[in-house]
Amino acid sequence: MSSQIIAILVLGGMFVVATVLPINIGILALVASFLVGTFVFGLEDGEIFEGFPVSLFITVVGVTYLFSVAKLNGTIDLLVQGGIRLVRGRAILVPWVLFAVAAALTALGTFTPAAVALLVPVGMSFAFTYRISPLMIGMMVICGAHAGAFSPVAVSGALVHGIVAKSGLTVSHAALFFASMGFNLLLAAGTYVMLRRRGEESFVERPDDQTSAGDAPSGAAAPGGGGGVATATRPRTAAVTWRQRATLAALVVLVVGALAFHLQIGFLALAAGAVLALLDRENLGKAVEGISWPTILLVAGMVTYVGVLEHSGTIDWVAHGAVGLGAPLLVALVLCVIVGVTSAFASSTAILTATIPMAIPLLLTDALPVAGVVAAMAISTTIVDVSPFSTNGALVLANARGVDRTRFYRQVVSYTCVIVGLGPVAAWAVLVLPGGF
């Protein structure tokens, strides 16, 4: 049995064990990284540690720490109430507002995880307060971020066009952008329809000011009523404290630093959180408790293991096996599926960089539409970032409030499985199949 097959079987075994037993799969993945990396592939310790996601670790720690401070001093509740006022009390519109804002941010050049990191904490607090499905809110934010991710000025859009241009091929900027926008818009609409009535059942805790249906804010639908989505609310107003003003100012600095100067959002968030925590001595120690350590362990372990697979050539082994199948339509389908499955555990940017060049020889034969194949692979790579093992999915998992963590993790995994199983096939069927005949 080849070493690559052993590594893949170990990956499958981890999922089985973590599903049957209440153990964090990140622990299993870190152990597997050492055992498989050392005894199967003969890697040195440094080579194994190369896969540890330092940037992702800092991002999740920093964002969850900052928003823990903001939650303790009441700023998150202030933002939630402001969002309700913005849509004139119609809470049902907020998921679409978050989708639109995320799409606008990434279309204007914001890196997708940065947009998600800025919007998900507020969206999760909104979902908790108004009993809207946190899974729906989180996934619609991610869909929005992906919807704008392939504009000509976006990071992913520029990357894809640059890779294709090196081969002498061309892909219309509009074709790639609107293919991603349309696909993610449909995915968001489907998510909204399927999950909008599953709000109340998602939570095991209630907001402090909403302990029963009768205590719902004036004008709001009672939790669980009206399909679990408050259709009209009348947010309460309260005096804004100086700590909240300081927090709002820190969030503005965070946004400007991340979007305008492209500074690492995790470090910015840690710095802002530390300053704000020092200004609030009463909650100084409590803020660290808001960091989602189980999520960090889970994601860091899985990404480290996938790094071992990449370093050992297992990912390339699988991809080249797909290219060798021969039939152009079948090769395109297999490539879409492979990049989708792989990207659910690894950086979508890295996967795009590694796999699109593999499709270039196929595209040079003129057997398939260039724009269709590139768009299908780009979409297949990014839509699976709802996975809890990716930065975006990890942020959703880490910032969910009032939920049973184990149950919510399984919900995110189930949603991811549906996207991974159907998304790449759908992208291929819509964008590649019609041009293959």
Side-chain angles (χ1 to χ4, degrees), residues 62-63 66-67 114 117-118 247-261 263-272:
V63 169
L66 172 59
F67 281 90
L118 292 171
T247 303
L248 291 172
L251 292 177
V252 171
V253 172
L254 179 71
V255 171
V256 173
L259 304 191
F261 298 99
L263 300 176
Q264 215 284 338
I265 193 169
F267 283 120
L268 287 177
L270 275 173

Side-chain angles (χ1 to χ4, degrees), residues 66-89:
L66 172 59
F67 281 90
S68 174
V69 175
K71 180 166 70 73
L72 288 170
N73 67 26
T75 305
I76 292 297
D77 291 334
L78 192 68
L79 291 172
V80 170
Q81 300 298 340
I84 290 295
R85 285 193 292 272
L86 185 65
V87 295
R88 301 191 178 187

